[in-house]
Amino acid sequence: MPTHFFNTTSARDLLAEVASLKGDEVVKWVDIPQYDAVLVYAVPSESVEAMPELYHVLEALPLCRDYNKIVASHKEGNLYLAIAQGGSLLLANVFEAPDFTTAEYYIFLALKQLQLNPEVSTICLRSLVGPEEEMSLYRYFKSVEQI
């Protein structure tokens, strides 16, 4: 969320507006200063210290050389997706995607909503994909890069 909308005292309420939270989950946040944003997320308990995959996806956006920056990671039945245009973060979200076809659906839906043309864009992947999945992406994107 944009930094100017974030308030530490209402972090749980803000996240609850867009995600289902369990009563024992702890809400945390981390600044993403290069996009003037805050990543708000929930963890099962206070003992979990690892950063969520979406944080790593956001941190990888500057590694994309194109103006349209698309970073995706498909892990553990979820698609972690971040899209930026130049220095503006347009989308950072997690989608339930049990298979790669579903992950592709969400990638293309997000690009369509943001009116970005995949044919002139490079998609950067943080997770390993098989040759079939990579070739499937090559049908639509200018380039596919593993980061």
Side-chain angles (χ1 to χ4, degrees):
M1 91 173 20
T3 303
H4 62 276
F5 288 127
F6 181 69
N7 180 340
T8 58
T9 59
S10 61
R12 184 174 193 84
D13 295 333
L14 291 168
L15 187 58
E17 288 180 19
V18 295
S20 298
L21 298 176
K22 297 176 185 151
D24 62 339
E25 288 182 313
V26 176
V27 173
K28 295 185 174 193
W29 56 88
V30 61
D31 286 324
I32 311 293
Q34 65 267 34
Y35 294 107
D36 196 24
V38 177
L39 174 62
V40 183
Y41 61 99
V43 294
S45 70
E46 197 62 56
S47 63
V48 177
E49 291 299 323
M51 295 303 283
E53 179 64 15
L54 188 57
Y55 173 79
H56 300 294
V57 167
L58 286 164
E59 288 290 299
L61 277 170
L63 300 175
C64 296
R65 296 177 292 241
D66 290 350
Y67 183 70
N68 293 338
K69 300 173 185 320
I70 305 162
V71 178
S73 176
H74 185 237
K75 290 183 174 183
E76 300 166 353
N78 290 307
L79 170 68
Y80 303 86
L81 181 63
I83 302 173
Q85 203 168 44
S88 298
L89 182 63
L90 303 177
L91 176 120
N93 209 342
V94 180
F95 303 93
E96 189 175 325
D99 53 61
F100 194 76
T101 301
T102 305
E104 283 183 310
Y105 168 81
Y106 283 117
I107 291 167
F108 294 122
L109 181 65
L111 292 174
K112 183 178 179 182
Q113 286 292 113
L114 296 170
Q115 298 180 353
L116 298 177
N117 184 354
E119 293 176 356
V120 297
S121 303
T122 297
I123 186 165
C124 300
L125 302 173
R126 267 193 41 88
S127 58
L128 295 175
V129 295
E132 287 180 24
E133 290 88 359
E134 188 172 348
M135 286 308 298
S136 178
L137 290 171
Y138 265 116
R139 287 186 200 120
Y140 303 98
F141 286 94
K142 173 180 79 173
S143 181
V144 178
E145 293 182 5
Q146 195 75 45
I147 54 174

mmCIF file of all heavy atoms in Angstrom, residues 62-104:
data_model
loop_
_atom_site.group_PDB
_atom_site.id
_atom_site.type_symbol
_atom_site.label_atom_id
_atom_site.label_comp_id
_atom_site.label_asym_id
_atom_site.label_seq_id
_atom_site.Cartn_x
_atom_site.Cartn_y
_atom_site.Cartn_z
ATOM 1 N N PRO A 62 13.887 -4.116 -9.399
ATOM 2 C CA PRO A 62 14.952 -3.330 -10.043
ATOM 3 C C PRO A 62 15.886 -4.153 -10.940
ATOM 4 O O PRO A 62 16.603 -3.599 -11.761
ATOM 5 C CB PRO A 62 15.719 -2.733 -8.861
ATOM 6 C CG PRO A 62 14.759 -2.748 -7.728
ATOM 7 C CD PRO A 62 13.900 -3.956 -7.954
ATOM 8 N N LEU A 63 15.867 -5.485 -10.792
ATOM 9 C CA LEU A 63 16.708 -6.336 -11.632
ATOM 10 C C LEU A 63 16.174 -6.438 -13.058
ATOM 11 O O LEU A 63 16.904 -6.831 -13.967
ATOM 12 C CB LEU A 63 16.830 -7.737 -11.022
ATOM 13 C CG LEU A 63 17.453 -7.810 -9.627
ATOM 14 C CD1 LEU A 63 17.399 -9.232 -9.104
ATOM 15 C CD2 LEU A 63 18.868 -7.279 -9.649
ATOM 16 N N CYS A 64 14.909 -6.089 -13.255
ATOM 17 C CA CYS A 64 14.320 -6.081 -14.591
ATOM 18 C C CYS A 64 14.772 -4.811 -15.291
ATOM 19 O O CYS A 64 14.636 -3.713 -14.761
ATOM 20 C CB CYS A 64 12.799 -6.113 -14.509
ATOM 21 S SG CYS A 64 12.142 -7.603 -13.769
ATOM 22 N N ARG A 65 15.291 -4.965 -16.502
ATOM 23 C CA ARG A 65 15.882 -3.828 -17.206
ATOM 24 C C ARG A 65 14.869 -3.015 -18.005
ATOM 25 O O ARG A 65 15.126 -1.880 -18.358
ATOM 26 C CB ARG A 65 16.997 -4.313 -18.118
ATOM 27 C CG ARG A 65 18.153 -4.922 -17.354
ATOM 28 C CD ARG A 65 19.166 -5.446 -18.316
ATOM 29 N NE ARG A 65 18.616 -6.589 -19.034
ATOM 30 C CZ ARG A 65 19.117 -7.807 -18.999
ATOM 31 N NH1 ARG A 65 20.195 -8.028 -18.317
ATOM 32 N NH2 ARG A 65 18.560 -8.783 -19.654
ATOM 33 N N ASP A 66 13.737 -3.601 -18.327
ATOM 34 C CA ASP A 66 12.753 -2.911 -19.152
ATOM 35 C C ASP A 66 11.983 -1.867 -18.339
ATOM 36 O O ASP A 66 11.986 -1.881 -17.108
ATOM 37 C CB ASP A 66 11.748 -3.902 -19.742
ATOM 38 C CG ASP A 66 12.368 -4.799 -20.798
ATOM 39 O OD1 ASP A 66 13.514 -4.546 -21.212
ATOM 40 O OD2 ASP A 66 11.690 -5.765 -21.208
ATOM 41 N N TYR A 67 11.297 -0.988 -19.042
ATOM 42 C CA TYR A 67 10.451 0.016 -18.397
ATOM 43 C C TYR A 67 9.281 -0.669 -17.687
ATOM 44 O O TYR A 67 8.954 -0.333 -16.555
ATOM 45 C CB TYR A 67 9.946 1.009 -19.448
ATOM 46 C CG TYR A 67 9.118 2.120 -18.870
ATOM 47 C CD1 TYR A 67 9.702 3.102 -18.076
ATOM 48 C CD2 TYR A 67 7.745 2.191 -19.128
ATOM 49 C CE1 TYR A 67 8.938 4.133 -17.545
ATOM 50 C CE2 TYR A 67 6.985 3.216 -18.601
ATOM 51 C CZ TYR A 67 7.581 4.184 -17.808
ATOM 52 O OH TYR A 67 6.820 5.192 -17.274
ATOM 53 N N ASN A 68 8.656 -1.648 -18.371
ATOM 54 C CA ASN A 68 7.627 -2.477 -17.740
ATOM 55 C C ASN A 68 8.347 -3.585 -16.978
ATOM 56 O O ASN A 68 8.984 -4.441 -17.586
ATOM 57 C CB ASN A 68 6.689 -3.092 -18.775
ATOM 58 C CG ASN A 68 5.845 -2.072 -19.484
ATOM 59 O OD1 ASN A 68 5.633 -0.971 -18.993
ATOM 60 N ND2 ASN A 68 5.364 -2.423 -20.663
ATOM 61 N N LYS A 69 8.260 -3.549 -15.659
ATOM 62 C CA LYS A 69 8.949 -4.521 -14.816
ATOM 63 C C LYS A 69 7.919 -5.514 -14.285
ATOM 64 O O LYS A 69 6.990 -5.123 -13.582
ATOM 65 C CB LYS A 69 9.657 -3.811 -13.674
ATOM 66 C CG LYS A 69 10.696 -2.814 -14.162
ATOM 67 C CD LYS A 69 11.257 -2.004 -13.028
ATOM 68 C CE LYS A 69 12.189 -0.925 -13.469
ATOM 69 N NZ LYS A 69 13.104 -1.186 -14.503
ATOM 70 N N ILE A 70 8.101 -6.777 -14.639
ATOM 71 C CA ILE A 70 7.175 -7.831 -14.231
ATOM 72 C C ILE A 70 7.992 -8.929 -13.576
ATOM 73 O O ILE A 70 8.858 -9.526 -14.211
ATOM 74 C CB ILE A 70 6.412 -8.401 -15.443
ATOM 75 C CG1 ILE A 70 5.706 -7.280 -16.210
ATOM 76 C CG2 ILE A 70 5.424 -9.475 -15.004
ATOM 77 C CD1 ILE A 70 5.308 -7.671 -17.617
ATOM 78 N N VAL A 71 7.736 -9.175 -12.291
ATOM 79 C CA VAL A 71 8.427 -10.248 -11.578
ATOM 80 C C VAL A 71 7.376 -11.188 -11.014
ATOM 81 O O VAL A 71 6.412 -10.744 -10.381
ATOM 82 C CB VAL A 71 9.326 -9.714 -10.437
ATOM 83 C CG1 VAL A 71 9.980 -10.863 -9.683
ATOM 84 C CG2 VAL A 71 10.386 -8.771 -10.992
ATOM 85 N N ALA A 72 7.580 -12.485 -11.244
ATOM 86 C CA ALA A 72 6.645 -13.493 -10.766
ATOM 87 C C ALA A 72 7.406 -14.634 -10.109
ATOM 88 O O ALA A 72 8.547 -14.927 -10.468
ATOM 89 C CB ALA A 72 5.808 -14.025 -11.923
ATOM 90 N N SER A 73 6.739 -15.249 -9.155
ATOM 91 C CA SER A 73 7.264 -16.435 -8.491
ATOM 92 C C SER A 73 6.085 -17.362 -8.240
ATOM 93 O O SER A 73 5.081 -16.942 -7.656
ATOM 94 C CB SER A 73 7.931 -16.035 -7.166
ATOM 95 O OG SER A 73 8.361 -17.178 -6.468
ATOM 96 N N HIS A 74 6.191 -18.601 -8.697
ATOM 97 C CA HIS A 74 5.121 -19.582 -8.496
ATOM 98 C C HIS A 74 5.646 -20.643 -7.540
ATOM 99 O O HIS A 74 6.469 -21.478 -7.925
ATOM 100 C CB HIS A 74 4.691 -20.185 -9.841
ATOM 101 C CG HIS A 74 3.528 -21.092 -9.723
ATOM 102 N ND1 HIS A 74 3.555 -22.400 -10.134
ATOM 103 C CD2 HIS A 74 2.280 -20.890 -9.219
ATOM 104 C CE1 HIS A 74 2.382 -22.957 -9.906
ATOM 105 N NE2 HIS A 74 1.601 -22.062 -9.350
ATOM 106 N N LYS A 75 5.187 -20.558 -6.292
ATOM 107 C CA LYS A 75 5.665 -21.476 -5.246
ATOM 108 C C LYS A 75 4.507 -21.904 -4.362
ATOM 109 O O LYS A 75 3.622 -21.101 -4.054
ATOM 110 C CB LYS A 75 6.694 -20.776 -4.344
ATOM 111 C CG LYS A 75 8.011 -20.485 -4.974
ATOM 112 C CD LYS A 75 8.936 -19.869 -3.943
ATOM 113 C CE LYS A 75 10.317 -19.687 -4.514
ATOM 114 N NZ LYS A 75 11.237 -19.162 -3.532
ATOM 115 N N GLU A 76 4.551 -23.152 -3.942
ATOM 116 C CA GLU A 76 3.627 -23.689 -2.940
ATOM 117 C C GLU A 76 2.169 -23.358 -3.237
ATOM 118 O O GLU A 76 1.408 -22.986 -2.355
ATOM 119 C CB GLU A 76 4.031 -23.187 -1.551
ATOM 120 C CG GLU A 76 5.432 -23.602 -1.168
ATOM 121 C CD GLU A 76 5.975 -22.835 0.035
ATOM 122 O OE1 GLU A 76 5.319 -21.880 0.503
ATOM 123 O OE2 GLU A 76 7.069 -23.198 0.483
ATOM 124 N N GLY A 77 1.786 -23.449 -4.521
ATOM 125 C CA GLY A 77 0.403 -23.225 -4.895
ATOM 126 C C GLY A 77 -0.020 -21.766 -4.962
ATOM 127 O O GLY A 77 -1.220 -21.483 -5.007
ATOM 128 N N ASN A 78 0.946 -20.861 -4.950
ATOM 129 C CA ASN A 78 0.634 -19.429 -5.026
ATOM 130 C C ASN A 78 1.470 -18.759 -6.104
ATOM 131 O O ASN A 78 2.612 -19.147 -6.346
ATOM 132 C CB ASN A 78 0.927 -18.731 -3.696
ATOM 133 C CG ASN A 78 -0.040 -19.135 -2.614
ATOM 134 O OD1 ASN A 78 -1.247 -19.051 -2.785
ATOM 135 N ND2 ASN A 78 0.489 -19.587 -1.496
ATOM 136 N N LEU A 79 0.887 -17.737 -6.718
ATOM 137 C CA LEU A 79 1.613 -16.862 -7.625
ATOM 138 C C LEU A 79 1.871 -15.562 -6.882
ATOM 139 O O LEU A 79 0.940 -14.928 -6.391
ATOM 140 C CB LEU A 79 0.802 -16.569 -8.889
ATOM 141 C CG LEU A 79 1.371 -15.463 -9.786
ATOM 142 C CD1 LEU A 79 2.688 -15.905 -10.417
ATOM 143 C CD2 LEU A 79 0.358 -15.040 -10.833
ATOM 144 N N TYR A 80 3.130 -15.186 -6.784
ATOM 145 C CA TYR A 80 3.536 -13.916 -6.195
ATOM 146 C C TYR A 80 3.902 -13.025 -7.375
ATOM 147 O O TYR A 80 4.782 -13.373 -8.154
ATOM 148 C CB TYR A 80 4.732 -14.109 -5.265
ATOM 149 C CG TYR A 80 4.455 -15.113 -4.173
ATOM 150 C CD1 TYR A 80 4.652 -16.471 -4.376
ATOM 151 C CD2 TYR A 80 3.953 -14.703 -2.949
ATOM 152 C CE1 TYR A 80 4.384 -17.401 -3.389
ATOM 153 C CE2 TYR A 80 3.682 -15.628 -1.949
ATOM 154 C CZ TYR A 80 3.895 -16.969 -2.176
ATOM 155 O OH TYR A 80 3.613 -17.877 -1.188
ATOM 156 N N LEU A 81 3.220 -11.899 -7.505
ATOM 157 C CA LEU A 81 3.360 -11.080 -8.699
ATOM 158 C C LEU A 81 3.529 -9.618 -8.328
ATOM 159 O O LEU A 81 2.769 -9.087 -7.507
ATOM 160 C CB LEU A 81 2.122 -11.251 -9.587
ATOM 161 C CG LEU A 81 2.061 -10.493 -10.904
ATOM 162 C CD1 LEU A 81 3.174 -10.947 -11.849
ATOM 163 C CD2 LEU A 81 0.690 -10.689 -11.557
ATOM 164 N N ALA A 82 4.521 -8.976 -8.938
ATOM 165 C CA ALA A 82 4.718 -7.533 -8.793
ATOM 166 C C ALA A 82 4.947 -6.952 -10.175
ATOM 167 O O ALA A 82 5.682 -7.519 -10.984
ATOM 168 C CB ALA A 82 5.895 -7.232 -7.879
ATOM 169 N N ILE A 83 4.310 -5.812 -10.423
ATOM 170 C CA ILE A 83 4.437 -5.130 -11.703
ATOM 171 C C ILE A 83 4.687 -3.658 -11.436
ATOM 172 O O ILE A 83 3.973 -3.027 -10.642
ATOM 173 C CB ILE A 83 3.168 -5.305 -12.568
ATOM 174 C CG1 ILE A 83 2.881 -6.797 -12.810
ATOM 175 C CG2 ILE A 83 3.303 -4.557 -13.881
ATOM 176 C CD1 ILE A 83 1.561 -7.066 -13.510
ATOM 177 N N ALA A 84 5.714 -3.135 -12.089
ATOM 178 C CA ALA A 84 6.024 -1.706 -11.982
ATOM 179 C C ALA A 84 6.234 -1.155 -13.380
ATOM 180 O O ALA A 84 6.581 -1.888 -14.312
ATOM 181 C CB ALA A 84 7.265 -1.490 -11.130
ATOM 182 N N GLN A 85 6.021 0.125 -13.494
ATOM 183 C CA GLN A 85 6.290 0.815 -14.748
ATOM 184 C C GLN A 85 7.225 1.960 -14.388
ATOM 185 O O GLN A 85 6.838 2.882 -13.664
ATOM 186 C CB GLN A 85 4.991 1.313 -15.363
ATOM 187 C CG GLN A 85 5.066 1.537 -16.837
ATOM 188 C CD GLN A 85 3.687 1.758 -17.436
ATOM 189 O OE1 GLN A 85 2.879 2.485 -16.884
ATOM 190 N NE2 GLN A 85 3.436 1.137 -18.580
ATOM 191 N N GLY A 86 8.463 1.837 -14.863
ATOM 192 C CA GLY A 86 9.463 2.813 -14.440
ATOM 193 C C GLY A 86 9.635 2.736 -12.937
ATOM 194 O O GLY A 86 9.865 1.672 -12.379
ATOM 195 N N GLY A 87 9.465 3.861 -12.242
ATOM 196 C CA GLY A 87 9.593 3.891 -10.790
ATOM 197 C C GLY A 87 8.277 3.808 -10.057
ATOM 198 O O GLY A 87 8.219 4.020 -8.844
ATOM 199 N N SER A 88 7.189 3.477 -10.762
ATOM 200 C CA SER A 88 5.862 3.411 -10.140
ATOM 201 C C SER A 88 5.419 1.964 -9.971
ATOM 202 O O SER A 88 5.322 1.220 -10.955
ATOM 203 C CB SER A 88 4.831 4.142 -10.996
ATOM 204 O OG SER A 88 5.154 5.499 -11.117
ATOM 205 N N LEU A 89 5.146 1.580 -8.751
ATOM 206 C CA LEU A 89 4.619 0.244 -8.469
ATOM 207 C C LEU A 89 3.137 0.232 -8.814
ATOM 208 O O LEU A 89 2.358 1.040 -8.301
ATOM 209 C CB LEU A 89 4.823 -0.102 -6.992
ATOM 210 C CG LEU A 89 4.363 -1.474 -6.537
ATOM 211 C CD1 LEU A 89 5.151 -2.571 -7.255
ATOM 212 C CD2 LEU A 89 4.516 -1.605 -5.028
ATOM 213 N N LEU A 90 2.754 -0.668 -9.702
ATOM 214 C CA LEU A 90 1.363 -0.759 -10.147
ATOM 215 C C LEU A 90 0.591 -1.866 -9.441
ATOM 216 O O LEU A 90 -0.613 -1.745 -9.234
ATOM 217 C CB LEU A 90 1.301 -0.992 -11.661
ATOM 218 C CG LEU A 90 2.000 0.042 -12.544
ATOM 219 C CD1 LEU A 90 1.909 -0.374 -14.011
ATOM 220 C CD2 LEU A 90 1.405 1.420 -12.329
ATOM 221 N N LEU A 91 1.289 -2.969 -9.109
ATOM 222 C CA LEU A 91 0.609 -4.106 -8.500
ATOM 223 C C LEU A 91 1.603 -4.935 -7.706
ATOM 224 O O LEU A 91 2.737 -5.149 -8.147
ATOM 225 C CB LEU A 91 -0.020 -4.993 -9.587
ATOM 226 C CG LEU A 91 -0.679 -6.267 -9.072
ATOM 227 C CD1 LEU A 91 -2.144 -6.273 -9.448
ATOM 228 C CD2 LEU A 91 0.003 -7.484 -9.636
ATOM 229 N N ALA A 92 1.177 -5.392 -6.550
ATOM 230 C CA ALA A 92 1.922 -6.375 -5.759
ATOM 231 C C ALA A 92 0.858 -7.221 -5.060
ATOM 232 O O ALA A 92 0.106 -6.711 -4.234
ATOM 233 C CB ALA A 92 2.828 -5.696 -4.737
ATOM 234 N N ASN A 93 0.777 -8.497 -5.443
ATOM 235 C CA ASN A 93 -0.287 -9.327 -4.897
ATOM 236 C C ASN A 93 0.095 -10.796 -4.943
ATOM 237 O O ASN A 93 1.015 -11.194 -5.659
ATOM 238 C CB ASN A 93 -1.587 -9.105 -5.681
ATOM 239 C CG ASN A 93 -2.822 -9.326 -4.834
ATOM 240 O OD1 ASN A 93 -2.764 -9.952 -3.779
ATOM 241 N ND2 ASN A 93 -3.954 -8.829 -5.306
ATOM 242 N N VAL A 94 -0.657 -11.587 -4.191
ATOM 243 C CA VAL A 94 -0.498 -13.040 -4.153
ATOM 244 C C VAL A 94 -1.829 -13.639 -4.598
ATOM 245 O O VAL A 94 -2.892 -13.226 -4.136
ATOM 246 C CB VAL A 94 -0.152 -13.535 -2.730
ATOM 247 C CG1 VAL A 94 0.004 -15.048 -2.716
ATOM 248 C CG2 VAL A 94 1.092 -12.841 -2.208
ATOM 249 N N PHE A 95 -1.751 -14.603 -5.525
ATOM 250 C CA PHE A 95 -2.933 -15.268 -6.038
ATOM 251 C C PHE A 95 -2.803 -16.764 -5.792
ATOM 252 O O PHE A 95 -1.730 -17.331 -5.986
ATOM 253 C CB PHE A 95 -3.062 -15.029 -7.552
ATOM 254 C CG PHE A 95 -3.111 -13.576 -7.940
ATOM 255 C CD1 PHE A 95 -1.952 -12.910 -8.278
ATOM 256 C CD2 PHE A 95 -4.311 -12.897 -7.966
ATOM 257 C CE1 PHE A 95 -1.988 -11.569 -8.647
ATOM 258 C CE2 PHE A 95 -4.365 -11.558 -8.332
ATOM 259 C CZ PHE A 95 -3.197 -10.895 -8.670
ATOM 260 N N GLU A 96 -3.901 -17.394 -5.424
ATOM 261 C CA GLU A 96 -3.906 -18.848 -5.282
ATOM 262 C C GLU A 96 -3.848 -19.449 -6.673
ATOM 263 O O GLU A 96 -4.730 -19.222 -7.498
ATOM 264 C CB GLU A 96 -5.160 -19.301 -4.542
ATOM 265 C CG GLU A 96 -5.132 -20.756 -4.178
ATOM 266 C CD GLU A 96 -6.340 -21.143 -3.334
ATOM 267 O OE1 GLU A 96 -6.797 -20.332 -2.523
ATOM 268 O OE2 GLU A 96 -6.802 -22.289 -3.524
ATOM 269 N N ALA A 97 -2.771 -20.194 -6.940
ATOM 270 C CA ALA A 97 -2.563 -20.769 -8.275
ATOM 271 C C ALA A 97 -1.957 -22.159 -8.117
ATOM 272 O O ALA A 97 -0.740 -22.316 -8.088
ATOM 273 C CB ALA A 97 -1.650 -19.872 -9.104
ATOM 274 N N PRO A 98 -2.794 -23.171 -8.008
ATOM 275 C CA PRO A 98 -2.275 -24.524 -7.774
ATOM 276 C C PRO A 98 -1.439 -25.090 -8.909
ATOM 277 O O PRO A 98 -0.653 -26.000 -8.702
ATOM 278 C CB PRO A 98 -3.538 -25.361 -7.547
ATOM 279 C CG PRO A 98 -4.659 -24.570 -8.114
ATOM 280 C CD PRO A 98 -4.250 -23.132 -8.071
ATOM 281 N N ASP A 99 -1.605 -24.537 -10.127
ATOM 282 C CA ASP A 99 -0.824 -25.024 -11.262
ATOM 283 C C ASP A 99 -0.349 -23.828 -12.084
ATOM 284 O O ASP A 99 -0.796 -22.697 -11.893
ATOM 285 C CB ASP A 99 -1.646 -25.983 -12.127
ATOM 286 C CG ASP A 99 -2.969 -25.380 -12.556
ATOM 287 O OD1 ASP A 99 -2.954 -24.346 -13.250
ATOM 288 O OD2 ASP A 99 -4.025 -25.922 -12.178
ATOM 289 N N PHE A 100 0.565 -24.082 -13.008
ATOM 290 C CA PHE A 100 1.162 -23.005 -13.778
ATOM 291 C C PHE A 100 0.169 -22.351 -14.738
ATOM 292 O O PHE A 100 0.246 -21.147 -14.990
ATOM 293 C CB PHE A 100 2.400 -23.499 -14.536
ATOM 294 C CG PHE A 100 3.232 -22.372 -15.065
ATOM 295 C CD1 PHE A 100 4.039 -21.634 -14.216
ATOM 296 C CD2 PHE A 100 3.186 -22.034 -16.403
ATOM 297 C CE1 PHE A 100 4.789 -20.577 -14.690
ATOM 298 C CE2 PHE A 100 3.940 -20.979 -16.897
ATOM 299 C CZ PHE A 100 4.745 -20.244 -16.033
ATOM 300 N N THR A 101 -0.775 -23.110 -15.244
ATOM 301 C CA THR A 101 -1.784 -22.540 -16.133
ATOM 302 C C THR A 101 -2.598 -21.473 -15.392
ATOM 303 O O THR A 101 -2.883 -20.407 -15.946
ATOM 304 C CB THR A 101 -2.713 -23.643 -16.684
ATOM 305 O OG1 THR A 101 -1.918 -24.592 -17.395
ATOM 306 C CG2 THR A 101 -3.779 -23.082 -17.599
ATOM 307 N N THR A 102 -2.953 -21.750 -14.165
ATOM 308 C CA THR A 102 -3.683 -20.767 -13.357
ATOM 309 C C THR A 102 -2.801 -19.548 -13.088
ATOM 310 O O THR A 102 -3.274 -18.411 -13.144
ATOM 311 C CB THR A 102 -4.150 -21.397 -12.034
ATOM 312 O OG1 THR A 102 -4.916 -22.573 -12.328
ATOM 313 C CG2 THR A 102 -4.981 -20.430 -11.216
ATOM 314 N N ALA A 103 -1.517 -19.771 -12.813
ATOM 315 C CA ALA A 103 -0.589 -18.658 -12.600
ATOM 316 C C ALA A 103 -0.534 -17.776 -13.845
ATOM 317 O O ALA A 103 -0.582 -16.539 -13.742
ATOM 318 C CB ALA A 103 0.796 -19.186 -12.237
ATOM 319 N N GLU A 104 -0.449 -18.392 -15.022
ATOM 320 C CA GLU A 104 -0.439 -17.619 -16.269
ATOM 321 C C GLU A 104 -1.727 -16.804 -16.418
ATOM 322 O O GLU A 104 -1.692 -15.642 -16.851
ATOM 323 C CB GLU A 104 -0.285 -18.535 -17.484
ATOM 324 C CG GLU A 104 1.103 -19.027 -17.712
ATOM 325 C CD GLU A 104 1.185 -19.870 -18.968
ATOM 326 O OE1 GLU A 104 0.362 -20.797 -19.130
ATOM 327 O OE2 GLU A 104 2.075 -19.591 -19.792
#
